[in-house]
Amino acid sequence: MSASLLLVQLLSGLAHAMVLFLIASGLALIFGVTRIVNFAHGSFYMLAAYLTYSLAQRLPLGAASFYAAGLLAALLVGLLGLCVEVGLLRRVYQAPELYQLLLTFALVLVIADGVRVVWGTENLTGPEAPGLGGAVPIAGQLFPTYDLALIVLGPAVALALWALFYRTRYGILIRAATLDREMVAVLGVDQARLFTSVFVLGSFLAGLAGALQVPRQALTNVMDTTIITEAFVVVVVGGMGSVFGALLSAALIGVIDAFGVLALPRASLVLIFVVMAVVLIVRPWGLLGRPAALEGAESAGPVTPEGAAVPRPWLWALLAALIVIPPLLPSFLVWLLVEVLAFSLFAASLHLLMGAGGMVSFGHAAAFGLGGYGAALLMQQAGAPMPLAFAGAPIVAAAGAAVIGFFCVRLSSIYFAMLTLAFAQIAYAIVHQWYDLTGGDNGLLGVWPPPWLASPVRFFYLALAACGGGIALLSLIERAPFGLTLRATRDHARRAEAIGVNVRRHRLVAFVLAGFFGGLAGATFVYLKGSVFPEYLTAPLSIQALVMVLLGGVQSVAGAPLGAAVYKLLDTLVTRYTGYWQAVLGGILIILVVAFPRGILGVVRDRR
Amino acid sequence: MILRVRDLRKAFGGVHAVDGVSLELPRGEIRALIGPNGAGKTTLFNILTGQLAADSGEVWLGAARISGLPPHAIWRRGVSRTFQITATFGTLSVFENVQVARLSEARRSLTLWRQAGGLERDRSQALLAFVGLTDQAARPAGTLAYGDLKKLELAIALANDPALLLLDEPTAGMAPAERSDLMRLIVSISRERGLTVLFTEHDMDVVWSVAERILVLHQGRVIAEGTPAEVRANATVQQVYLGEGG
Ligand SMILES: Nc1ncnc2c1ncn2[C@@H]1O[C@H](COP(=O)(O)OP(=O)(O)OP(=O)(O)O)[C@@H](O)[C@H]1O
Ligand SMILES: [Mg+2]
């Protein structure tokens, strides 16, 4: 590889880093002051890009249209940020972190469908930036002029932010709030207004990043998720809440990205997550973050006490119905029931982690997927008969969970969530790129149960035994001394240590158990569908499980199956009538978080 | 001697919170650890119970060195504590708060396949009765009044029948009548079981009436040690502590 090529690659990495910095600095700013992890930040970015595209075509300003459109788009997105903060986020600042995450995630879904409605699903190619088109020769290679302009613009923005933080009263407030939230109240500042303005500023920066991206990249419907993952990595690596950490790590990640594509084209996906995992393991508070941020976050679990168990007779009635009714149903309904069973167990296994353990995992799909691939590979590669593979799959998942958990359980709240996400992404990338073993993108097909188990009703009974049994065991575990102690560690880790509980070991055991049952759910699902794909390990599935748990009510493990059933039912119904399931789900989530944070079971209980 | 501490040091940045503390506690003694705000009392407790690592120095419990062990291991050796800022399990019931500590003592925390419900019931209820919380047993701990939380913490701390009990401001925020009741409880259990108690307290009436001996800490250093009468008469103590705080 020639030196000039390396130079150009470095520069193009830096150009990308500047866009990353813009979006990540907004994210870090918002987190630093409001402690909200804004998933919708990537959506704001995407929205601004599309708005720039449309406005640039319509504004009658000639060459200036593009620039005016970009600025206007960023301002509009800032305005949207204002509405979101005042209308929604304000209601959940006091709520557990998890609800805030879900609320911003709901916005992601709604905005994504909104963009699809307005701009369609085709990729759009934006205009060039007038005056900055073409390329300049650098060391014998051609390098886009626009990227060069970005490399200049990034530090300029950083400088402007620096001046804002260190040369204005507003900046002092922001820094004070980032260090110590109570202090701001003491300083006699209107906290609500500070939060709002910071959220608007952060959203504006995301909008600016989106607008600047238009000449560089085709506009797609998945811009939001691609960028938000990268932005998170940047913020976590730089240190949550540290804007200058974001600058440093954006440069690092941008360059690693650029060279990763050259050196390991197929493993590039995984590279930045490996970087993040390493940083979180060695320095959990990030490059320029402060360790204190870790201590403040004791628990991310529910604040309300556990509810009473579901009455026994109801459970027996439900079980009787599940045994008697399926043979009378048309097969498509039986298949649907199996799917509900698998997801019920999946959600219940997550409940052990997030409900009882207060460990909100964003990567629980790793357990599901590892169980699924375990089931498929044990049959296809190891030649195991299906029942043996079915039994072995959860063990594969539990083993994976033991490795992931070893690193994750030492972290608290948001760092735990991010590291589990990173590991799930790494697992995904491995499965996706280890073509010979896993079939890569194509997945593994033909993973069927043997003929004597393949009829809908027989397979349903198998799934009922596996998943129903799994849920029963999980519910027992949550009420056992182990579960009680786990809840104690969630409520107050230091107190738990001071009564002889090895908190880390307890959390690890919970993590492995959750992995085991999550893997069992995955295996069930894979035998239902006859195939397994890398997507089974990714964030959307992890989030689905989170939603199910919250939908049912996080207070009790019984909520998880209920949430899974309602979710699947809604999914099936809504997709029959509209293609915009995401937006509907997002709407449900918003209502749920804002109006019924205790889930269905919570509402039922309050009524009594 | 049940507890021996040798030349313990801990600094936070430039602040020497604990600056060369040595002390010895004989079995069964009730000793007060006093000193103005920021003297390093809580930091010393945190080091003794393993929640903070000391920069240097050693802690011995009987014949075993416990410095460097994690908090849960130190608790297993019979050192129990309460926290200055009450620390209980908010969503668990009052009964479960004590039960979970009893289960830990019985090494059943990792039991998976059996309901916790009635396990360790009698011992847990006895502890609740001892501190006078029987009526509140079913309530979530998070809903208790402040004084009751302090009592609950004491019950939790007694769950492993400790040899050494460290109480960080056990009566802070309680009504005066409640204070003397609680301290009477602590004295009685110490007499009964030969339990060694080291407690911090800002209320000097409590200190004078309960402590057999007193250790005075100031800016991380021991500046006096002796019987209440001796400490009361000590000129340095009067100057740095009684003069300031009362
Ligand atoms: N985690 C920490 N980080 C930085 N400084 C600390 C920390 N913990 C304690 N300190 C400092 O160490 C010194 C001793 O604090 P400590 O809490 O031990 O005092 P104390 O005697 O318990 O005071 P009080 O009577 O107010 O409870 C104080 O100056 C305090 O500010
Ligand atoms: Mg203290």
Side-chain angles (χ1 to χ4, degrees), chain B residues 145-200:
Chain B
Y146 192 74
D148 286 344
L149 274 180
K150 286 277 182 191
K151 292 181 193 164
L152 177 57
E153 264 223 276
L154 181 63
I156 295 172
L158 289 172
N160 63 335
D161 207 352
L164 172 61
L165 182 59
L166 306 176
L167 304 170
D168 202 349
E169 305 201 5
T171 70
M174 287 177 124
E178 275 186 316
R179 288 186 179 204
S180 44
D181 282 353
L182 193 77
M183 290 317 291
R184 245 197 308 271
L185 270 184
I186 292 168
V187 172
S188 78
I189 196 163
S190 164
R191 300 269 149 78
E192 238 167 67
R193 305 189 190 169
L195 167 65
T196 314
V197 179
L198 181 63
F199 73 99
T200 74

Side-chain angles (χ1 to χ4, degrees), chain A residues 143-306:
Chain A
F143 188 75
T145 317
Y146 185 73
D147 280 10
L148 212 55
L150 277 185
I151 295 177
V152 178
L153 183 70
V157 173
L159 205 65
L161 284 177
W162 180 86
L164 177 69
F165 289 156
Y166 288 89
R167 288 290 177 268
T168 67
R169 183 181 137 72
Y170 180 65
I172 294 171
L173 288 180
I174 289 182
R175 280 187 298 140
T178 308
L179 288 177
D180 181 353
R181 268 205 286 184
E182 269 78 59
M183 199 158 111
V184 182
V186 176
L187 288 176
V189 175
D190 182 349
Q191 179 166 315
R193 202 185 274 174
L194 181 70
F195 279 25
T196 309
S197 64
V198 162
F199 198 83
V200 171
L201 176 61
S203 307
F204 171 79
L205 286 171
L208 208 56
L212 288 173
Q213 192 71 324
V214 170
R216 299 186 73 221
Q217 198 193 41
L219 308 185
T220 72
N221 290 157
V222 295
M223 284 174 83
D224 52 349
T225 42
T226 344
I227 199 78
I228 192 68
T229 358
E230 258 189 302
F232 268 134
V233 174
V234 168
V235 172
V236 168
V237 168
M240 300 292 289
S242 164
V243 171
F244 296 99
L247 179 62
L248 184 66
S249 84
L252 186 73
I253 299 286
V255 172
I256 287 178
D257 242 5
F259 285 110
V261 171
L262 277 189
L264 304 158
R266 301 228 59 190
S268 54
L269 213 54
V270 73
L271 209 55
I272 63 166
F273 285 102
V274 172
V275 172
M276 168 155 113
V278 169
V279 167
L280 275 179
I281 289 163
V282 179
R283 220 182 132 80
W285 49 91
L287 296 177
L288 296 188
R290 295 175 341 117
L294 279 180
E295 286 165 18
E298 270 275 325
S299 131
V303 284
T304 42
E306 314 298 312

